[in-house]
Amino acid sequence: MAYPKPLERLIAAFERFPGIGRRTAERLAFHVLRDPEAGELAEAVKDAALHTRRCRLCHNVTEDDPCVLCADPARDPALLLVVEEPRDVEAVERARVWRGRYHVLLGAFNPAEGTEERHLTIGPLVQRLSRGEVKELVLATDPDSEGEATAQLVLAAVDRAGLALTVTRLARGVPAGSALEYLHKGVIQDALDYRIPLRTPRA
Ligand SMILES: [Zn+2]
């Protein structure tokens, strides 16, 4: 016996989420049916989908474009931290240890799972850097094999463009395999304070 159509539609919507199989999608859908605040959830989903966009400069998720971080004159425009996901920006902001700006790559290089270089915002990053305002690019991709490969792609793109800037990466205070978003403030602070040079302007 099939479920009613509206319920099937809800289950199918949950199934599109990463890591959610049919059984979990069903469980979530039934949870929504029982939830007296389900209307609020529906509104929140719609509101988030309709009223957030990508910042045209840093590609972070935002209500306003450019985002509040790019628009903040108190932030040092010479320092740019490159991260994989908006969640990473959130983690570094929570730690309150970074006074520069950000660039969100919107993923990590992982061809096996369909993320190629062209899916990342490396091209827009190089364009942004070519304006010459940024003096140091800090690579803060995750310390796993995808993050390493991604950092190498960014470095290669900077080299190809012949840009006069320093490139550093976070120190190894970041434990291997742990995503930036889960780190404590002190670890992020150390990783930033002891960042390692990869390239100097004259390299
Ligand atoms: Zn921005």
Side-chain angles (χ1 to χ4, degrees):
M1 198 192 88
Y3 292 126
K5 258 198 185 123
L7 179 56
E8 271 300 340
R9 186 180 165 203
L10 183 59
I11 294 169
F14 278 125
E15 268 191 285
R16 287 201 296 272
F17 290 147
I20 303 284
R22 173 76 189 184
R23 286 174 60 96
T24 306
E26 284 182 351
R27 206 160 47 79
L28 289 170
F30 278 106
H31 180 78
V32 168
L33 293 191
R34 282 196 307 270
D35 183 359
E37 305 288 327
E40 160 62 21
L41 171 70
E43 275 304 307
V45 169
K46 206 167 150 186
D47 193 44
L50 292 179
H51 298 120
T52 58
R53 64 189 90 182
R54 298 289 176 198
C55 170
R56 81 182 87 132
L57 296 172
C58 70
H59 297 265
N60 197 6
V61 64
T62 178
E63 253 188 292
D64 304 307
D65 183 20
C67 72
V68 285
L69 296 171
C70 286
D72 182 356
R75 288 189 172 259
D76 188 345
L79 296 170
L80 195 67
L81 190 75
V82 178
V83 297
E84 293 178 12
E85 302 285 353
R87 330 188 264 281
D88 300 322
V89 174
E90 197 55 34
V92 177
E93 281 302 292
R94 257 198 323 268
R96 297 174 179 277
V97 292
W98 178 244
R99 60 190 178 83
R101 294 196 171 139
Y102 295 92
H103 189 90
V104 182
L105 293 168
L106 300 177
F109 185 63
N110 190 347
E113 293 197 0
T115 309
E116 309 274 356
E117 180 169 358
R118 65 193 159 87
H119 297 119
L120 307 174
T121 63
I122 294 178
L125 170 63
V126 170
Q127 269 180 19
R128 195 177 171 189
L129 295 173
S130 65
R131 280 179 229 135
E133 213 177 18
V134 175
K135 302 299 173 211
E136 183 184 344
L137 191 68
V138 185
L139 302 179
T141 52
D142 284 343
D144 51 25
S145 56
E146 292 83 19
E148 285 300 326
T150 307
Q152 289 308 316
L153 286 180
V154 173
L155 196 58
V158 168
D159 280 339
R160 267 199 312 275
L163 299 168
L165 77 165
T166 299
V167 182
T168 57
R169 69 165 167 77
L170 293 188
R172 283 291 169 198
V174 179
S178 63
L180 191 60
E181 60 179 307
Y182 300 121
L183 296 179
H184 294 298
K185 175 184 168 156
V187 180
I188 294 179
Q189 172 100 63
D190 283 353
L192 277 168
D193 284 351
Y194 300 103
R195 53 192 191 263
I196 298 159
L198 297 178
R199 177 188 193 276
T200 56
R202 301 201 176 277

